[in-house]
C-alpha cells in the first residue's frame, strides 16, 4: 500500500481530485487531498500574507501530523513548487514526486521565473483595488475551455470551486537545497491537449537529479486532467508508486 498526497494547483481546492481519489483508494492505497490555505474549507484564511511558504507548511504539517511515510507526493500546476519545497523539508518521508502538468522549479526559482506568463497576472492584479489577489483564469471557447475542461457540466462543477490566488504564492522562491532530495525519483505527466497562448512547459532534463533517466508521461487532454481523464491519470499515478 502506498500513501498518495494530492496537492491542487492555483485557484482550485481539494475537491478537484474527487474522481481520482476513489480510484486510488479502490486499488488499496491511502489518499489525502487537502485544500491549501485560502481554498475550500480554508477559504476564510485567504489574505495577502498567504504565499508559497504557507502552502509548503500546509503539506509538511499534514505529513508530520499524520506520520506519513513512503508518500507519493503529487502536485498539479502551481503545486509543483509546493511539492518541491515540501519534499525538501522531509525528503526521508517522500517516495516519489509527481509533477502533474506542473511547474518544476530549480532551487531559488519563483513561479514567475518558471512560468513567465504569471508576471502578466501579477501586473493585472496590481491595477485593481486588491493587488494581492489574482482571480481565476476565464473560461475560453473550445478547445481551451476552463483549464482544459470543455464539457458544460464538468466546467460548471469546476467553476464552483475556483477562488482567487494570492500574488505572494507566485513571488516566493522554491527551496530544493537538501542533497537528500536529489535521491527522490520523479515523474512528469504532461497534458498535451490544447493550451492557451503563453502557457509553456519547461523541457524536462534527460536525467533526474539522482542520475536516473527522467520518467515523462503524456495525457491527450487539457490542463485539468483529473477532471477529464481520471481513469487514465490514476493508471499513471499507480505506475509512479511501483
Amino acid at each position: 500500500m502506498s500513501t498518495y498526497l494530492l496537492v491542487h494547483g492555483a485557484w482550485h481546492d481539494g475537491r478537484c481530485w474527487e474522481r481520482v481519489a476513489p480510484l486510488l483508494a479502490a486499488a488499496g492505497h491511502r489518499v489525502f487531498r487537502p485544500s491549501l490555505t485560502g481554498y475550500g474549507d480554508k477559504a476564510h484564511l485567504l489574505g495577502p500574507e498567504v504565499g508559497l511558504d504557507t502552502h509548503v507548511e500546509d503539506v509538511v504539517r499534514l505529513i508530520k501530523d499524520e506520520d506519513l511515510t513512503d508518500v507519493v507526493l503529487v502536485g498539479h500546476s502551481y503545486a509543483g513548487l509546493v511539492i518541491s519545497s515540501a519534499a525538501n523539508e522531509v525528503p526521508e518521508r517522500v517516495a516519489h514526486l509527481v509533477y502533474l502538468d506542473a511547474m518544476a522549479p530549480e532551487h531559488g526559482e519563483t513561479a514567475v521565473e518558471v512560468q513567465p506568463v504569471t508576471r502578466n497576472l501579477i501586473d493585472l492584479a496590481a491595477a485593481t483595488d486588491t493587488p494581492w489577489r489574482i482571480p481565476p483564469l476565464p473560461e475560453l471557447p473550445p478547445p481551451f475551455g476552463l483549464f482544459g475542461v470543455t464539457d458544460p457540466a464538468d466546467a460548471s462543477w469546476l467553476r464552483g470551486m475556483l477562488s482567487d490566488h494570492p500574488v505572494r504564492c507566485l513571488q516566493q522562491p522554491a527551496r530544493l537545497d537538501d542533497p537528500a532530495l536529489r535521491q527522490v525519483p520523479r515523474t512528469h505527466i504532461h497534458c498535451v491537449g490544447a493550451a492557451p497562448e503563453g502557457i509553456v512547459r519547461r523541457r524536462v532534463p534527460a536525467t533526474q537529479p539522482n542520475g536516473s533517466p527522467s520518467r515523462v508521461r503524456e495525457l491527450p487532454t487539457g490542463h485539468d486532467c483529473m477532471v477529464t481523464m481520471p481513469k487514465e491519470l490514476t493508471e499513471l499515478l499507480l505506475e509512479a508508486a511501483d
Side-chain angles (χ1 to χ4, degrees):
M1 181 184 76
S2 296
T3 296
Y4 285 84
L5 205 172
L6 311 176
V7 186
H8 64 82
W11 301 296
H12 295 56
D13 66 37
R15 288 175 292 174
C16 70
W17 304 104
E18 282 187 1
R19 299 179 181 180
V20 173
L23 299 177
L24 292 171
H29 302 291
R30 195 179 184 192
V31 184
F32 293 84
R33 49 184 183 94
S35 290
L36 300 173
T37 297
Y39 301 99
D41 59 344
K42 301 182 182 69
H44 61 288
L45 300 176
L46 183 68
E49 74 285 352
V50 174
L52 173 61
D53 291 349
T54 311
H55 294 156
V56 172
E57 184 180 355
D58 289 340
V59 173
V60 172
R61 184 187 303 114
L62 174 59
I63 291 173
K64 290 182 176 180
D65 288 350
E66 297 289 341
D67 195 22
L68 304 182
T69 57
D70 295 322
V71 177
V72 179
L73 190 53
V74 182
H76 177 239
S77 195
Y78 150 77
L81 281 76
V82 179
I83 65 168
S84 297
S85 290
N88 192 70
E89 295 293 317
V90 286
E92 72 283 357
R93 293 176 178 265
V94 179
H96 205 106
L97 287 169
V98 179
Y99 292 87
L100 179 56
D101 217 35
M103 300 183 188
E106 301 290 344
H107 174 64
E109 286 188 323
T110 67
V112 173
E113 292 167 308
V114 179
Q115 190 70 265
V117 71
T118 57
R119 167 55 62 187
N120 297 336
L121 301 178
I122 294 174
D123 292 343
L124 288 172
T128 70
D129 293 335
T130 53
W132 59 270
R133 59 197 297 168
I134 301 172
L137 298 180
E139 186 170 358
L140 300 173
F144 306 118
L146 185 64
F147 295 101
V149 178
T150 56
D151 178 83
D154 287 346
S156 178
W157 173 72
L158 177 61
R159 193 180 305 111
M161 76 177 70
L162 300 179
S163 57
D164 293 353
H165 190 59
V167 165
R168 192 172 175 84
C169 294
L170 307 179
Q171 296 173 324
Q172 289 186 319
R175 294 189 298 275
L176 297 86
D177 56 353
D178 188 328
L181 181 61
R182 299 176 62 85
Q183 302 306 313
V184 179
R186 304 178 180 184
T187 292
H188 298 263
I189 301 175
H190 293 166
C191 298
V192 295
E197 184 178 355
I199 301 299
V200 295
R201 184 179 300 110
R202 169 171 290 188
R203 179 178 174 273
V204 177
T207 58
Q208 298 189 38
N210 63 5
S212 64
S214 290
R215 179 187 289 183
V216 181
R217 301 291 184 263
E218 294 183 347
L219 287 173
T221 188
H223 188 53
D224 277 11
C225 57
M226 73 286 290
V227 177
T228 58
M229 300 188 74
K231 293 181 181 179
E232 295 83 355
L233 172 58
T234 299
E235 291 175 0
L236 295 182
L237 295 180
L238 292 172
E239 178 188 2
D242 291 340

